[in-house]
Amino acid sequence: MSDASLDLLRLQFALTAGIHYLFVALTLGLAPLVLCVQARAVWTGDAARMRAVRFWGGLYVIGYGTGVLSGLVMETQLALNWSGLNRVFGSVVAAPLAIETAAAFFVESAFLGLWVFGWDRMGRWAHLGCFAVVTGTAYLSAFWVMAANGLLRNPVGFEMRGGEAVLTDPLAVAFNPSGLLGFAHTAVTALFVGGLFVAAVSARHVLRGTDADGVFRRGVRTGLVLVMAAVAPVAVTGGTQFRFTEGPTPTTGLTYDEAGIAAVEAAWEPSYGWIWDVAGGTMTVVWELVVLLCLVGAVAWIARRLDRWRWFLWVLVFSPVLPWAASVGGWVYRELGRQPWTVTHHLTTAEAVTPMSAGAAVVSLCVFVSAYALLAGATAWWLVRVARLGVGRGPLREPDQGPPAEEGREPVRF
């Protein structure tokens, strides 16, 4: 297969995976917040907080739907475009992904359905328990995805027999240090995304003066607390992963300096190393900006100006672009860190891809990326629309509420 076809298929996977992760990070970040707000509302019987649960929960459901749909398409893409990976490592990689599918598409979806349609139809504690399961399985799903990804970067738990990988130690795959660190980093990074998303939506409503119950003033503070709590763990869990860019690889014993391996990696570096540098630089700059944002927010909070510094509230409105940029940059940096290998020192990317002509690769790129762009655009529009409506509106609003004043028509219900 030509280098052009390989590059097109790699670009396709990078773009579609990046779009998919935007919504995964949002839902992972929102889920703990929705759970905590609902727990507080159930414990205290606070009707205003329960309306806030309906509002933030509606945004969560929108993001979740797109995450699941784009994830299903991702699996189709893996089957069609990466047959070499499936042929050699299918029996090993399939194990964690199968568990992830069961957790995400069966357990999580079932309990989310109970939560969405169970308002006022089940006990308040049972209803809260449903979303607790949703939150737990969301993070369990991320754990198994990162277990599969960690195997590619730090291959463990299998033996090569007749040119195919055979699973020999499932626990080694599940608790691979690369996967565990990747999962921890993903979890705390999601708090960045969720925290600044909540702070941004809340800041916009505070600026507009549409916060009769104080829900959005609390939202600004809660969002900033989440971000502040995540700053140090993001740096620690991200920096610790650098040790996996060195050898030796557990299943081969080969290091970067081994004959043949260094030559393959050196041939890749001039063409794609600059992308790796840009991704790493993006992460660093964004992290520094978020730290600065946290410091200014802390000063405003202590000075009791958090609700009065309009310029800072406007900064918060546009701040979600920072963690999303850092998340995508971090994913690119992690994936490029093992190139030109799909499975480090076992299977190159050229060997993992499905052989196809440049024309077929162009068609595949256009079809998949166009579908993802349309899905992402529609979801972003819906998220913005629901976020603008405020508490008491949106897809999970209470049934006795009237039509939204701003739109003049009934919002879409589930």
Side-chain angles (χ1 to χ4, degrees):
M1 187 175 68
S2 67
D3 290 341
S5 298
L6 176 60
D7 288 343
L8 288 170
L9 293 177
R10 292 178 65 199
L11 177 62
Q12 174 185 319
F13 191 84
L15 292 174
T16 54
I19 294 172
H20 169 67
Y21 184 69
L22 292 178
F23 298 100
V24 171
L26 176 62
T27 54
L28 283 176
L30 280 178
L33 180 134
V34 174
L35 179 63
C36 290
V37 174
Q38 184 171 1
R40 179 73 179 275
V42 168
W43 180 262
T44 62
D46 190 332
R49 280 189 168 85
M50 191 57 75
R51 287 193 293 272
V53 172
R54 288 179 177 270
F55 173 71
W56 296 116
L59 295 172
Y60 173 86
V61 170
I62 294 171
Y64 174 83
T66 299
V68 169
L69 183 58
S70 59
L72 289 172
V73 180
M74 284 285 294
E75 292 190 359
T76 303
Q77 180 182 222
L78 279 172
L80 293 176
N81 292 355
W82 300 92
S83 59
L85 174 63
N86 296 326
R87 182 180 65 256
V88 180
F89 280 89
S91 62
V92 179
V93 176
L97 292 182
I99 299 174
E100 185 272 336
T101 300
F105 300 149
F106 293 100
V107 179
E108 185 179 359
S109 298
F111 277 88
L112 183 60
L114 290 173
W115 186 76
V116 169
F117 296 105
W119 291 93
D120 303 321
R121 292 181 175 85
M122 63 174 69
R124 57 180 184 173
W125 290 104
H127 191 250
L128 174 64
C130 286
F131 201 79
V133 174
V134 170
T135 303
T137 50
Y139 279 84
L140 183 63
S141 174
F143 172 85
W144 287 112
V145 169
M146 294 312 300
N149 183 270
L151 176 72
L152 306 182
R153 187 178 182 87
N154 187 53
V156 295
F158 65 89
E159 293 180 358
M160 297 301 297
R161 300 175 185 172
E164 295 183 3
V166 178
L167 182 65
T168 58
D169 190 349
L171 291 180
V173 174
F175 298 104
N176 186 344
S178 176
L180 292 176
L181 283 172
F183 167 69
H185 189 65
T186 298
V188 293
T189 301
L191 294 181
F192 264 129
V193 177
L196 284 182
F197 179 82
V198 169
V201 174
S202 299
R204 186 67 184 100
H205 282 280
V206 172
L207 287 167
R208 294 170 63 191
T210 54
D211 189 24
D213 294 329
V215 167
F216 295 115
R217 287 189 292 276
R218 288 194 296 269
V220 171
R221 291 168 172 78
T222 301
L224 286 176
V225 167
L226 286 176
V227 175
M228 292 176 184
V231 166
V234 163
V236 172
T237 56
T240 308
Q241 296 181 64
F242 280 103
R243 67 188 181 93
F244 294 107
T245 61
E246 304 172 355
T249 302
T251 48
T252 64
L254 297 174
T255 67
Y256 179 86
D257 296 325
E258 295 288 339
I261 299 299
V264 171
E265 295 180 349
W268 169 85
E269 178 67 24
S271 300
Y272 304 101
W274 67 271
I275 303 177
W276 197 59
D277 294 335
V278 170
T282 300
M283 288 191 301
T284 302
V285 171
V286 168
W287 187 82
E288 292 173 348
L289 290 175
V290 172
V291 170
L292 178 61
L293 183 70
C294 290
L295 291 175
V296 175
V299 170
W301 198 335
I302 294 172
R304 297 186 178 182
R305 291 292 186 271
L306 194 57
D307 301 332
R308 301 178 186 178
W309 285 359
R310 294 181 65 85
W311 66 269
F312 182 68
L313 293 175
W314 277 113
V315 170
L316 288 180
V317 169
F318 296 100
S319 64
V321 69
L322 295 176
W324 266 317
S327 297
V328 174
W331 177 83
V332 171
Y333 192 85
R334 178 182 173 89
E335 295 303 291
L336 286 180
R338 70 166 188 272
Q339 294 299 316
W341 307 94
T342 294
V343 182
T344 304
H345 298 172
H346 282 282
L347 186 73
T348 66
T349 305
E351 295 169 337
V353 77
T354 301
M356 64 177 66
S357 65
V362 169
V363 171
S364 179
L365 174 67
C366 292
V367 170
F368 276 93
V369 173
S370 297
Y372 270 72
L374 289 172
L375 179 62
T379 304
W381 173 84
W382 197 7
L383 283 171
V384 171
R385 177 173 179 263
V386 172
R388 290 180 65 250
L389 294 177
V391 174
R393 310 300 183 191
L396 297 184
R397 69 186 183 88
E398 294 178 285
D400 59 344
Q401 296 289 327
E406 293 182 11
E407 299 292 337
R409 59 180 181 272
E410 192 79 6
V412 178
R413 294 187 185 181
F414 288 92

